[in-house]
Every structure is written in C-alpha cells, then in structure tokens.
Amino acid sequence: MSSSKNNNNKDHSSKSFPSSVNPDAVQYFLHKKKKKRTVEDFVKGIIKGDRIILSQAITLVESSRLSDQNKAQKIIEACLPYSENSVRIGITGIPGVGKSTFIEALGQHVIAKKKKVAVLAIDPSSSVTKGSILGDKTRMNDLSLKKNAFIRPSPAGSSLGGVARKTRETILLCEAAGFETIFVETVGVGQSETAVHSMVDFFLLLLVPGAGDELQGIKRGIVEMADILAVNKADGGQIDAAKNARREYRNALHLMPLKESGVNPKVLICSAMEQTGIAEIWKLILINQQLTRKNKFFYKKRKEQSLFWLHEQIGNGLKDFFYKNEKIKKRLEEIEKEVLEGRRNSFNAADELLNMFLDKKSDS
Ligand code: GDP
C-alpha cells in the first residue's frame, strides 16, 4: 500500500501493473520474462545438472542466430573448468554393426556404476534428408528413460566441420552438467570418424564377425585410430566366427606401429544384444584411462585437440568471411564460369580472388 502511495516509477514488480490489466497477461509477461535466461542462469542451471536448462543451452549452441551464438560461447567458456574428470569415448562402425544396441548396453552398465552418461552423435547427413541418426529411430529406448542418461541427436549442419564443432561444444556443456561419461557415436562414412577422433579420449571400433574381408572394408586409418576393437554379435551361431575375427584383428594389429598413447589397442568380443563382454570393455576403457592419465598422454591429447579446434575455427571463420563477402561472391561466380570453360586456370583465379579480398580488407 505504501508503495502505491509513493507511486515510485522505479517499481517494476507485478504489483505495479494497473488493475485494468488482465492478470493472466501479467503472469504470461512475467513468465516470459523469467524464461529469458541470462548467461548466469544457464551456467548455474547446467552446473546444478538441470536437464531442461542443459537442453536449452545446447539449442543455443546449435542455433545459427548470432545472438544465440554469442550467448552460447559465454556459457561454454564458463563451463570449461568442469571437464577434468570426464571420459570421452568415440564409437564407430559400419551401419548395422550394432552401435546403438551397444551404447544402450554399455550405457546401462555404466549407469549401474552410479555414473552419468551422455550420448551424442555426429551424423553429417542429418541436414540432408535422413534426419538425425538418433532422433528419428526409436533407439536406446531403455537408456533414454534413465535419469542419469542424456541422449542428444546429432546436430544438423551444412558441413561436417560445423556439425563436429557443435558436438564438441555440447560435450563441454554435458560435462559441466555432471555427465562424466560421454559417448560420441558416428556413422561410418569415412570422414566423420576423423572428426570424432579429434574430440574423444578413446576410440572404439565395432566390428561384425566373419571379418577377414572386413578389414579391407574398413579404412586402414580407422583401425589405426582405434584403442579398442570389439567384435559384436558374438552370440548364437556366430561365436566361433567372432573369435576368428578377433584372432585376425589381433594379428593385423601386431603389424601396426606402437601407439603414441603407450597403450596397445585390444581386441575383444561382445554381444550387445545379450549384454556379454560389455563389462570387460568398460573395464578396459577404465584401465586405458588410468594408464594414459598416469603417463600424461590423456592430458597431452586433450591439449592437442584444443589446439586443433582453435585452428579449425580460425580456418572456418576465415572461409566464412571470404565466401560471405559480397564483392567476392559476385566475382567468384564469373571466375567459376571462366575456370569451367577452360579460360582460366584455377590457381591464378584463386589468387585473383584472394588478392581482391585482401585489398578490400586493407582498404577498409
Ligand atoms: P547400428 O546401425 O550400428 O546402430 O546398429 P543397430 O544397433 O541399429 O543394430 C543393427 C541390427 O543388429 C539390429 O537388428 C540389432 O538388433 C542387431 N544387433 C545389434 N547388436 C547385436 C548383437 O550383439 N547380436 C546380434 N545377434 N544382433 C545384434
């Protein structure tokens, strides 16, 4: 009452609304206002482990609006100190090898050990027609119902680099929210494995039994990247075939150079469906983690990855800057035609565009 007597203009509380205003509208306004979270709100919420706020922050990361991006960057910056105790595991393998069944099984196993698990994905095709690999299939049904599991489909994006960046930033947010075990699933399309490799501590390659030829099917580089190879579907009539495959991969790995981590890759068999061999794989991940933390490779790799992302971002930023330049856009169209018609050589044409861009920069 006294405040109304004072009629203080600075009073912005709900009481300051004139009585003629519909109270529902007042509530709506206040709610809307409340929902517009500040960076601090986001950070506090994430650190408290609030899943809704975490999801909303990831949505900011995935947004292409500049204001969202700016906010997302501030949130990520504040979340950076919380990634010390996490373990990031990349999981790859050809479609149908059983990746999601495996993550479901391993995820349940890890949750039973009182850990919190986040499952992220990189699917560079998600922006085209297929939708996200985790989003449109009813996968990981049981895991997704667990309160200690957080499953987020692959972000959409026009380039693998863009998709990978968003996933990497999402990892940092999930870690700050207490999800200390991060799985990053990739579709086996060749390039996305490299992107995932640049953001995880360990890389697990799932294989199918009856391999032999399989080794040819998977690019050598990907086998080299793997810290753990797991021959899945070692169940029913396929157990012997899985064991054979394990032997062949073990032999093949002998020929490979020693890993920089100092920990040799291991080959195991498992059945994601029957949940056998899963505990052994988890144990191996923990041992790898222990060893590489002890010999410091774990930290070295993370630092190198941070540098890699710094340069990636600079590269992408510069490219963006270049291709969005109106003058360049116009001239590029003409130059592309000239190159296609054989009237210009590509190198000299590229030089012209770059010089044009740099001149413009030094003019301004
Ligand atoms: P993804 O495409 O790699 O994610 O593979 P999915 O997890 O979707 O599995 C592909 C198919 O393999 C499904 O029909 C699964 O039921 C089956 N599958 C997955 N893991 C196993 C396993 O350990 N044993 C057997 N027999 N089938 C499996």
Side-chain angles (χ1 to χ4, degrees), residues 143-180:
L143 192 60
S144 62
L145 296 174
K146 295 267 163 39
K147 84 173 189 334
N148 282 341
F150 182 82
I151 301 182
R152 184 84 180 188
S154 170
S158 53
S159 70
L160 173 59
V163 172
R165 173 191 165 163
K166 290 174 198 167
T167 302
R168 176 169 156 101
E169 292 177 336
T170 301
I171 290 178
L172 298 168
L173 298 182
C174 289
E175 288 171 343
F179 294 92
E180 72 280 85

Short mmCIF file of all heavy atoms in Angstrom, two decimals, residues 143-180:
data_model
loop_
_atom_site.label_atom_id
_atom_site.label_comp_id
_atom_site.label_asym_id
_atom_site.label_seq_id
_atom_site.Cartn_x
_atom_site.Cartn_y
_atom_site.Cartn_z
N LEU A 143 17.67 -46.81 -22.25
CA LEU A 143 18.65 -45.84 -21.76
C LEU A 143 18.04 -44.44 -21.70
O LEU A 143 18.25 -43.70 -20.74
CB LEU A 143 19.88 -45.86 -22.67
CG LEU A 143 21.12 -45.13 -22.16
CD1 LEU A 143 21.60 -45.73 -20.86
CD2 LEU A 143 22.24 -45.16 -23.19
N SER A 144 17.25 -44.12 -22.71
CA SER A 144 16.71 -42.76 -22.77
C SER A 144 15.75 -42.47 -21.63
O SER A 144 15.46 -41.32 -21.33
CB SER A 144 16.05 -42.50 -24.12
OG SER A 144 14.97 -43.38 -24.27
N LEU A 145 15.25 -43.51 -20.98
CA LEU A 145 14.32 -43.28 -19.87
C LEU A 145 15.04 -43.07 -18.54
O LEU A 145 14.43 -42.66 -17.56
CB LEU A 145 13.36 -44.48 -19.72
CG LEU A 145 12.42 -44.72 -20.90
CD1 LEU A 145 11.63 -46.01 -20.70
CD2 LEU A 145 11.48 -43.53 -21.07
N LYS A 146 16.32 -43.33 -18.54
CA LYS A 146 17.08 -43.23 -17.28
C LYS A 146 17.42 -41.78 -16.96
O LYS A 146 17.85 -41.04 -17.85
CB LYS A 146 18.38 -44.05 -17.38
CG LYS A 146 18.13 -45.55 -17.52
CD LYS A 146 18.15 -46.18 -16.16
CE LYS A 146 17.57 -47.55 -16.00
NZ LYS A 146 17.73 -48.56 -16.95
N LYS A 147 17.24 -41.44 -15.68
CA LYS A 147 17.50 -40.03 -15.35
C LYS A 147 19.00 -39.69 -15.40
O LYS A 147 19.37 -38.54 -15.53
CB LYS A 147 16.85 -39.63 -14.04
CG LYS A 147 17.61 -39.94 -12.78
CD LYS A 147 16.89 -39.32 -11.60
CE LYS A 147 17.64 -39.35 -10.29
NZ LYS A 147 18.63 -40.35 -10.04
N ASN A 148 19.83 -40.69 -15.31
CA ASN A 148 21.27 -40.43 -15.40
C ASN A 148 21.82 -40.55 -16.81
O ASN A 148 23.03 -40.62 -17.01
CB ASN A 148 22.03 -41.33 -14.44
CG ASN A 148 21.94 -40.81 -13.02
OD1 ASN A 148 21.62 -39.64 -12.82
ND2 ASN A 148 22.17 -41.66 -12.05
N ALA A 149 20.90 -40.63 -17.77
CA ALA A 149 21.36 -40.66 -19.17
C ALA A 149 20.79 -39.46 -19.90
O ALA A 149 19.65 -39.05 -19.67
CB ALA A 149 20.89 -41.95 -19.84
N PHE A 150 21.61 -38.90 -20.75
CA PHE A 150 21.17 -37.74 -21.54
C PHE A 150 21.52 -38.04 -22.99
O PHE A 150 22.69 -38.20 -23.34
CB PHE A 150 21.90 -36.49 -21.05
CG PHE A 150 21.50 -35.24 -21.77
CD1 PHE A 150 20.36 -34.54 -21.40
CD2 PHE A 150 22.27 -34.76 -22.82
CE1 PHE A 150 19.98 -33.39 -22.08
CE2 PHE A 150 21.90 -33.61 -23.50
CZ PHE A 150 20.76 -32.91 -23.12
N ILE A 151 20.49 -38.17 -23.82
CA ILE A 151 20.74 -38.55 -25.21
C ILE A 151 20.34 -37.39 -26.12
O ILE A 151 19.24 -36.88 -26.03
CB ILE A 151 19.95 -39.82 -25.58
CG1 ILE A 151 20.35 -40.96 -24.64
CG2 ILE A 151 20.21 -40.21 -27.04
CD1 ILE A 151 19.71 -42.28 -24.91
N ARG A 152 21.26 -37.00 -26.94
CA ARG A 152 21.00 -35.86 -27.83
C ARG A 152 21.34 -36.26 -29.25
O ARG A 152 22.45 -36.74 -29.52
CB ARG A 152 21.89 -34.69 -27.39
CG ARG A 152 21.68 -33.41 -28.14
CD ARG A 152 20.54 -32.60 -27.57
NE ARG A 152 20.37 -31.37 -28.32
CZ ARG A 152 19.54 -30.40 -27.96
NH1 ARG A 152 18.82 -30.51 -26.88
NH2 ARG A 152 19.42 -29.32 -28.69
N PRO A 153 20.40 -36.11 -30.17
CA PRO A 153 20.72 -36.47 -31.56
C PRO A 153 21.78 -35.58 -32.17
O PRO A 153 22.11 -34.53 -31.62
CB PRO A 153 19.39 -36.30 -32.29
CG PRO A 153 18.50 -35.56 -31.39
CD PRO A 153 19.06 -35.59 -30.01
N SER A 154 22.28 -36.01 -33.30
CA SER A 154 23.30 -35.23 -33.99
C SER A 154 22.75 -33.86 -34.38
O SER A 154 21.63 -33.76 -34.84
CB SER A 154 23.73 -35.96 -35.26
OG SER A 154 24.54 -35.14 -36.05
N PRO A 155 23.56 -32.82 -34.17
CA PRO A 155 23.10 -31.52 -34.67
C PRO A 155 23.06 -31.55 -36.20
O PRO A 155 23.81 -32.30 -36.81
CB PRO A 155 24.17 -30.56 -34.18
CG PRO A 155 25.36 -31.38 -33.87
CD PRO A 155 24.88 -32.76 -33.56
N ALA A 156 22.19 -30.76 -36.76
CA ALA A 156 22.16 -30.65 -38.22
C ALA A 156 23.20 -29.62 -38.63
O ALA A 156 23.63 -28.82 -37.82
CB ALA A 156 20.78 -30.24 -38.67
N GLY A 157 23.60 -29.66 -39.87
CA GLY A 157 24.55 -28.66 -40.32
C GLY A 157 24.91 -28.89 -41.75
O GLY A 157 24.75 -30.00 -42.27
N SER A 158 25.39 -27.83 -42.38
CA SER A 158 25.68 -27.97 -43.80
C SER A 158 27.07 -28.55 -44.04
O SER A 158 27.37 -29.00 -45.12
CB SER A 158 25.53 -26.61 -44.48
OG SER A 158 26.32 -25.68 -43.79
N SER A 159 27.91 -28.56 -43.01
CA SER A 159 29.24 -29.15 -43.21
C SER A 159 29.60 -30.02 -42.02
O SER A 159 29.14 -29.79 -40.90
CB SER A 159 30.28 -28.04 -43.35
OG SER A 159 30.45 -27.40 -42.09
N LEU A 160 30.45 -31.00 -42.28
CA LEU A 160 30.90 -31.88 -41.20
C LEU A 160 31.59 -31.07 -40.11
O LEU A 160 31.38 -31.28 -38.93
CB LEU A 160 31.84 -32.94 -41.78
CG LEU A 160 32.53 -33.86 -40.77
CD1 LEU A 160 31.51 -34.63 -39.95
CD2 LEU A 160 33.47 -34.81 -41.48
N GLY A 161 32.39 -30.09 -40.54
CA GLY A 161 33.11 -29.25 -39.58
C GLY A 161 32.15 -28.55 -38.63
O GLY A 161 32.38 -28.50 -37.43
N GLY A 162 31.07 -28.03 -39.20
CA GLY A 162 30.08 -27.31 -38.40
C GLY A 162 29.39 -28.24 -37.41
O GLY A 162 29.22 -27.92 -36.24
N VAL A 163 29.01 -29.42 -37.89
CA VAL A 163 28.33 -30.41 -37.06
C VAL A 163 29.27 -30.85 -35.92
O VAL A 163 28.88 -30.93 -34.76
CB VAL A 163 27.90 -31.64 -37.91
CG1 VAL A 163 27.37 -32.76 -37.04
CG2 VAL A 163 26.87 -31.23 -38.94
N ALA A 164 30.53 -31.09 -36.29
CA ALA A 164 31.51 -31.55 -35.30
C ALA A 164 31.75 -30.50 -34.23
O ALA A 164 31.82 -30.80 -33.05
CB ALA A 164 32.82 -31.90 -36.00
N ARG A 165 31.83 -29.27 -34.65
CA ARG A 165 32.04 -28.19 -33.68
C ARG A 165 30.91 -28.14 -32.65
O ARG A 165 31.14 -28.04 -31.46
CB ARG A 165 32.13 -26.85 -34.43
CG ARG A 165 32.19 -25.71 -33.46
CD ARG A 165 32.01 -24.36 -34.08
NE ARG A 165 31.74 -23.42 -33.00
CZ ARG A 165 31.85 -22.13 -33.12
NH1 ARG A 165 32.22 -21.61 -34.26
NH2 ARG A 165 31.58 -21.34 -32.10
N LYS A 166 29.69 -28.25 -33.15
CA LYS A 166 28.54 -28.19 -32.24
C LYS A 166 28.57 -29.37 -31.27
O LYS A 166 28.25 -29.22 -30.09
CB LYS A 166 27.24 -28.20 -33.04
CG LYS A 166 27.01 -26.90 -33.80
CD LYS A 166 25.80 -27.03 -34.69
CE LYS A 166 25.80 -25.95 -35.76
NZ LYS A 166 24.81 -26.22 -36.81
N THR A 167 28.97 -30.53 -31.76
CA THR A 167 29.04 -31.69 -30.86
C THR A 167 30.13 -31.50 -29.82
O THR A 167 29.95 -31.80 -28.65
CB THR A 167 29.28 -32.99 -31.67
OG1 THR A 167 28.23 -33.13 -32.61
CG2 THR A 167 29.30 -34.22 -30.77
N ARG A 168 31.25 -30.96 -30.26
CA ARG A 168 32.34 -30.73 -29.30
C ARG A 168 31.89 -29.75 -28.21
O ARG A 168 32.17 -29.95 -27.03
CB ARG A 168 33.58 -30.19 -30.00
CG ARG A 168 34.66 -29.86 -29.00
CD ARG A 168 35.98 -29.56 -29.61
NE ARG A 168 36.78 -28.74 -28.71
CZ ARG A 168 37.74 -29.21 -27.94
NH1 ARG A 168 38.04 -30.47 -27.93
NH2 ARG A 168 38.41 -28.40 -27.16
N GLU A 169 31.20 -28.70 -28.60
CA GLU A 169 30.74 -27.73 -27.60
C GLU A 169 29.70 -28.36 -26.67
O GLU A 169 29.67 -28.09 -25.48
CB GLU A 169 30.19 -26.49 -28.32
CG GLU A 169 31.31 -25.73 -29.01
CD GLU A 169 30.87 -24.52 -29.81
OE1 GLU A 169 29.69 -24.47 -30.24
OE2 GLU A 169 31.68 -23.63 -30.03
N THR A 170 28.88 -29.22 -27.25
CA THR A 170 27.86 -29.90 -26.45
C THR A 170 28.52 -30.81 -25.41
O THR A 170 28.03 -30.94 -24.28
CB THR A 170 26.92 -30.70 -27.37
OG1 THR A 170 26.31 -29.78 -28.28
CG2 THR A 170 25.85 -31.43 -26.58
N ILE A 171 29.64 -31.42 -25.78
CA ILE A 171 30.37 -32.27 -24.82
C ILE A 171 30.70 -31.44 -23.57
O ILE A 171 30.48 -31.86 -22.44
CB ILE A 171 31.70 -32.79 -25.43
CG1 ILE A 171 31.42 -33.81 -26.53
CG2 ILE A 171 32.61 -33.39 -24.36
CD1 ILE A 171 32.68 -34.34 -27.24
N LEU A 172 31.21 -30.23 -23.79
CA LEU A 172 31.64 -29.39 -22.66
C LEU A 172 30.45 -29.05 -21.75
O LEU A 172 30.57 -29.05 -20.53
CB LEU A 172 32.31 -28.12 -23.18
CG LEU A 172 33.58 -28.36 -24.01
CD1 LEU A 172 34.02 -27.09 -24.72
CD2 LEU A 172 34.71 -28.88 -23.11
N LEU A 173 29.30 -28.79 -22.37
CA LEU A 173 28.12 -28.46 -21.56
C LEU A 173 27.66 -29.69 -20.76
O LEU A 173 27.32 -29.57 -19.58
CB LEU A 173 26.97 -27.98 -22.47
CG LEU A 173 27.23 -26.70 -23.27
CD1 LEU A 173 25.99 -26.33 -24.08
CD2 LEU A 173 27.58 -25.54 -22.34
N CYS A 174 27.67 -30.84 -21.41
CA CYS A 174 27.23 -32.06 -20.72
C CYS A 174 28.15 -32.37 -19.54
O CYS A 174 27.69 -32.77 -18.47
CB CYS A 174 27.22 -33.26 -21.68
SG CYS A 174 25.91 -33.16 -22.89
N GLU A 175 29.43 -32.17 -19.75
CA GLU A 175 30.38 -32.44 -18.67
C GLU A 175 30.13 -31.50 -17.48
O GLU A 175 30.16 -31.94 -16.33
CB GLU A 175 31.81 -32.28 -19.18
CG GLU A 175 32.18 -33.42 -20.12
CD GLU A 175 33.51 -33.23 -20.84
OE1 GLU A 175 34.02 -32.10 -20.89
OE2 GLU A 175 34.00 -34.22 -21.38
N ALA A 176 29.86 -30.25 -17.78
CA ALA A 176 29.58 -29.31 -16.69
C ALA A 176 28.31 -29.70 -15.95
O ALA A 176 28.15 -29.44 -14.76
CB ALA A 176 29.48 -27.89 -17.23
N ALA A 177 27.40 -30.36 -16.66
CA ALA A 177 26.14 -30.80 -16.02
C ALA A 177 26.32 -32.13 -15.28
O ALA A 177 25.35 -32.71 -14.80
CB ALA A 177 25.04 -30.92 -17.08
N GLY A 178 27.55 -32.60 -15.20
CA GLY A 178 27.83 -33.79 -14.39
C GLY A 178 27.80 -35.10 -15.16
O GLY A 178 27.94 -36.17 -14.56
N PHE A 179 27.60 -35.03 -16.47
CA PHE A 179 27.64 -36.27 -17.26
C PHE A 179 29.10 -36.56 -17.58
O PHE A 179 29.65 -36.02 -18.53
CB PHE A 179 26.80 -36.13 -18.54
CG PHE A 179 25.34 -35.99 -18.23
CD1 PHE A 179 24.77 -34.73 -18.08
CD2 PHE A 179 24.54 -37.10 -18.05
CE1 PHE A 179 23.43 -34.59 -17.76
CE2 PHE A 179 23.20 -36.97 -17.74
CZ PHE A 179 22.64 -35.72 -17.58
N GLU A 180 29.70 -37.37 -16.73
CA GLU A 180 31.15 -37.53 -16.85
C GLU A 180 31.56 -38.59 -17.85
O GLU A 180 32.73 -38.69 -18.21
CB GLU A 180 31.81 -37.74 -15.48
CG GLU A 180 31.56 -39.08 -14.83
CD GLU A 180 30.23 -39.17 -14.14
OE1 GLU A 180 29.25 -39.49 -14.85
OE2 GLU A 180 30.14 -38.97 -12.92
#
